[in-house]
Amino acid sequence: MEAPGVPILASAEVEAPHHVGHRERLRERFAKGGAEAMPDYELLELTLFRSIPRRDVKPLAKALIARFGSFAEAIAAEPARLAEVDGIGPAVIADLKLIEAAGRRLARGEIVGRPLLASWNAVLDYCRVTMAFGTREQFRVLFLDKRNHLIADEVQGQGTVDHTPVYPREIARRALELSATAIILAHNHPSGDPAPSRADIAMTREVVSILAPLKITVHDHVILGRDGHASMKALKLF
């Protein structure tokens, strides 16, 4: 029986959980102002909405930023490290890796079919998206044709946190196989500092010396880090 003076609320009038209204407000802000109008943790919230539909994800988004440092670093983190964060399960990891893959695909689309020396910022963006936040060194070679269009983008080696084995003669062999007339070298420094090491300089000069008699040009060796990038060509190191 209904108690005197105490109305029964219709189910439609029951107040929705706080995070429901918060999600709508975030979506509206993103629609109006785009990503530039939002801090990294809010972008992560938007990403997490799909994989965690019925929970306040702000604390989880902030935990990811605290652990990895930024939106880009959280997206690029290895699945095993993501799984160490309380509340991150397979669905979240799959969605974060999907965002990472989409970013790489978009960045690659900016360099395919274009003369790379005329699209240098796009080359740097692509290398940054694919390599800058890795926890192990990775060495990549972009092979170009006579118009400086991309023939192939290949990872030649992956190593430890501070070393990747590189074989200059293998680079030369592969360039000849692909009929490449030029290459761009790129690798990352997981320490974050993109400054070239003595070993980087020596290896680059060896690659240049082996490729020169074959009429294959080394346009640059770019080193990527969380703090930016270094161009060995611009630094006049070869």
Side-chain angles (χ1 to χ4, degrees), residues 74-99:
I75 293 296
E78 294 180 357
R81 293 191 65 207
L82 288 168
E84 294 171 359
V85 178
D86 189 33
I88 297 293
V92 172
I93 293 172
D95 281 350
L96 294 182
K97 294 294 101 182
L98 177 61
I99 297 295

Short mmCIF file of all heavy atoms in Angstrom, two decimals, residues 74-99:
data_model
loop_
_atom_site.label_atom_id
_atom_site.label_comp_id
_atom_site.label_asym_id
_atom_site.label_seq_id
_atom_site.Cartn_x
_atom_site.Cartn_y
_atom_site.Cartn_z
N ALA A 74 49.67 6.46 -23.83
CA ALA A 74 48.73 5.44 -23.34
C ALA A 74 48.24 4.58 -24.50
O ALA A 74 48.17 3.35 -24.40
CB ALA A 74 47.55 6.11 -22.63
N ILE A 75 47.90 5.22 -25.61
CA ILE A 75 47.43 4.48 -26.78
C ILE A 75 48.51 3.54 -27.32
O ILE A 75 48.23 2.42 -27.75
CB ILE A 75 46.99 5.47 -27.88
CG1 ILE A 75 45.76 6.26 -27.45
CG2 ILE A 75 46.71 4.75 -29.20
CD1 ILE A 75 44.52 5.42 -27.23
N ALA A 76 49.77 4.00 -27.27
CA ALA A 76 50.87 3.24 -27.85
C ALA A 76 51.47 2.22 -26.88
O ALA A 76 52.31 1.42 -27.28
CB ALA A 76 51.97 4.19 -28.31
N ALA A 77 51.04 2.22 -25.63
CA ALA A 77 51.63 1.30 -24.65
C ALA A 77 51.39 -0.15 -25.03
O ALA A 77 50.38 -0.50 -25.64
CB ALA A 77 51.04 1.58 -23.27
N GLU A 78 52.33 -1.01 -24.68
CA GLU A 78 52.19 -2.42 -24.97
C GLU A 78 51.03 -3.02 -24.18
O GLU A 78 50.78 -2.62 -23.03
CB GLU A 78 53.49 -3.15 -24.64
CG GLU A 78 54.66 -2.75 -25.52
CD GLU A 78 55.94 -3.48 -25.16
OE1 GLU A 78 55.91 -4.27 -24.18
OE2 GLU A 78 56.95 -3.26 -25.83
N PRO A 79 50.30 -3.97 -24.76
CA PRO A 79 49.15 -4.56 -24.07
C PRO A 79 49.47 -5.07 -22.66
O PRO A 79 48.66 -4.92 -21.74
CB PRO A 79 48.73 -5.68 -25.01
CG PRO A 79 49.13 -5.19 -26.36
CD PRO A 79 50.42 -4.45 -26.14
N ALA A 80 50.64 -5.69 -22.50
CA ALA A 80 50.99 -6.22 -21.18
C ALA A 80 51.10 -5.12 -20.14
O ALA A 80 50.71 -5.31 -18.97
CB ALA A 80 52.30 -7.01 -21.27
N ARG A 81 51.61 -3.97 -20.55
CA ARG A 81 51.72 -2.85 -19.60
C ARG A 81 50.36 -2.23 -19.33
O ARG A 81 50.08 -1.82 -18.21
CB ARG A 81 52.70 -1.80 -20.15
CG ARG A 81 54.14 -2.27 -20.24
CD ARG A 81 55.07 -1.11 -20.52
NE ARG A 81 55.08 -0.18 -19.41
CZ ARG A 81 55.34 1.13 -19.54
NH1 ARG A 81 55.58 1.65 -20.74
NH2 ARG A 81 55.35 1.92 -18.48
N LEU A 82 49.52 -2.15 -20.34
CA LEU A 82 48.16 -1.64 -20.12
C LEU A 82 47.41 -2.52 -19.13
O LEU A 82 46.68 -2.03 -18.27
CB LEU A 82 47.42 -1.58 -21.46
CG LEU A 82 47.84 -0.49 -22.44
CD1 LEU A 82 47.22 -0.75 -23.80
CD2 LEU A 82 47.43 0.89 -21.93
N ALA A 83 47.59 -3.82 -19.25
CA ALA A 83 46.88 -4.76 -18.39
C ALA A 83 47.28 -4.64 -16.93
O ALA A 83 46.56 -5.12 -16.04
CB ALA A 83 47.11 -6.19 -18.88
N GLU A 84 48.41 -4.00 -16.67
CA GLU A 84 48.86 -3.81 -15.29
C GLU A 84 48.05 -2.73 -14.56
O GLU A 84 48.09 -2.65 -13.33
CB GLU A 84 50.34 -3.43 -15.26
CG GLU A 84 51.28 -4.54 -15.74
CD GLU A 84 52.71 -4.06 -15.92
OE1 GLU A 84 52.96 -2.86 -15.69
OE2 GLU A 84 53.57 -4.88 -16.28
N VAL A 85 47.32 -1.91 -15.32
CA VAL A 85 46.51 -0.84 -14.72
C VAL A 85 45.18 -1.43 -14.27
O VAL A 85 44.46 -2.06 -15.07
CB VAL A 85 46.27 0.30 -15.73
CG1 VAL A 85 45.39 1.39 -15.10
CG2 VAL A 85 47.61 0.89 -16.17
N ASP A 86 44.84 -1.26 -12.99
CA ASP A 86 43.60 -1.81 -12.45
C ASP A 86 42.40 -1.27 -13.21
O ASP A 86 42.24 -0.06 -13.37
CB ASP A 86 43.49 -1.44 -10.96
CG ASP A 86 42.34 -2.17 -10.28
OD1 ASP A 86 42.06 -3.30 -10.67
OD2 ASP A 86 41.73 -1.58 -9.37
N GLY A 87 41.56 -2.17 -13.71
CA GLY A 87 40.37 -1.77 -14.45
C GLY A 87 40.51 -1.91 -15.95
O GLY A 87 39.53 -1.77 -16.69
N ILE A 88 41.74 -2.18 -16.42
CA ILE A 88 41.97 -2.35 -17.86
C ILE A 88 41.90 -3.82 -18.20
O ILE A 88 42.70 -4.64 -17.74
CB ILE A 88 43.34 -1.79 -18.28
CG1 ILE A 88 43.41 -0.29 -18.03
CG2 ILE A 88 43.62 -2.10 -19.75
CD1 ILE A 88 42.51 0.53 -18.90
N GLY A 89 40.91 -4.19 -19.02
CA GLY A 89 40.74 -5.57 -19.45
C GLY A 89 40.91 -5.71 -20.94
O GLY A 89 41.25 -4.74 -21.64
N PRO A 90 40.64 -6.89 -21.49
CA PRO A 90 40.83 -7.14 -22.92
C PRO A 90 40.04 -6.19 -23.82
O PRO A 90 40.53 -5.79 -24.88
CB PRO A 90 40.35 -8.59 -23.08
CG PRO A 90 40.54 -9.20 -21.74
CD PRO A 90 40.26 -8.11 -20.76
N ALA A 91 38.81 -5.83 -23.42
CA ALA A 91 38.00 -4.95 -24.28
C ALA A 91 38.63 -3.57 -24.39
O ALA A 91 38.68 -2.97 -25.47
CB ALA A 91 36.58 -4.84 -23.72
N VAL A 92 39.11 -3.04 -23.27
CA VAL A 92 39.76 -1.72 -23.29
C VAL A 92 41.03 -1.78 -24.13
O VAL A 92 41.29 -0.90 -24.96
CB VAL A 92 40.08 -1.25 -21.86
CG1 VAL A 92 40.93 0.02 -21.90
CG2 VAL A 92 38.80 -0.99 -21.08
N ILE A 93 41.84 -2.80 -23.91
CA ILE A 93 43.10 -2.93 -24.66
C ILE A 93 42.82 -3.02 -26.15
O ILE A 93 43.49 -2.37 -26.96
CB ILE A 93 43.89 -4.16 -24.17
CG1 ILE A 93 44.38 -3.93 -22.74
CG2 ILE A 93 45.07 -4.44 -25.10
CD1 ILE A 93 45.01 -5.15 -22.10
N ALA A 94 41.81 -3.79 -26.54
CA ALA A 94 41.47 -3.91 -27.96
C ALA A 94 41.08 -2.57 -28.56
O ALA A 94 41.49 -2.22 -29.67
CB ALA A 94 40.34 -4.92 -28.14
N ASP A 95 40.30 -1.78 -27.81
CA ASP A 95 39.87 -0.48 -28.34
C ASP A 95 41.04 0.50 -28.42
O ASP A 95 41.14 1.28 -29.38
CB ASP A 95 38.76 0.10 -27.46
CG ASP A 95 37.40 -0.54 -27.76
OD1 ASP A 95 37.30 -1.26 -28.76
OD2 ASP A 95 36.45 -0.30 -27.00
N LEU A 96 41.92 0.49 -27.43
CA LEU A 96 43.09 1.38 -27.47
C LEU A 96 44.00 1.01 -28.64
O LEU A 96 44.52 1.89 -29.34
CB LEU A 96 43.86 1.32 -26.15
CG LEU A 96 43.13 1.85 -24.92
CD1 LEU A 96 44.04 1.76 -23.69
CD2 LEU A 96 42.65 3.28 -25.11
N LYS A 97 44.19 -0.29 -28.87
CA LYS A 97 45.04 -0.72 -29.98
C LYS A 97 44.39 -0.41 -31.33
O LYS A 97 45.09 -0.15 -32.31
CB LYS A 97 45.34 -2.20 -29.87
CG LYS A 97 46.20 -2.60 -28.67
CD LYS A 97 47.61 -2.03 -28.75
CE LYS A 97 47.82 -0.81 -27.90
NZ LYS A 97 49.19 -0.25 -28.03
N LEU A 98 43.07 -0.41 -31.37
CA LEU A 98 42.37 -0.02 -32.60
C LEU A 98 42.61 1.44 -32.92
O LEU A 98 42.87 1.81 -34.07
CB LEU A 98 40.87 -0.30 -32.45
CG LEU A 98 39.98 0.13 -33.64
CD1 LEU A 98 40.40 -0.60 -34.91
CD2 LEU A 98 38.52 -0.13 -33.32
N ILE A 99 42.54 2.29 -31.88
CA ILE A 99 42.83 3.72 -32.08
C ILE A 99 44.26 3.91 -32.57
O ILE A 99 44.53 4.71 -33.48
CB ILE A 99 42.61 4.50 -30.77
CG1 ILE A 99 41.15 4.42 -30.32
CG2 ILE A 99 43.04 5.95 -30.93
CD1 ILE A 99 40.18 5.08 -31.25
#
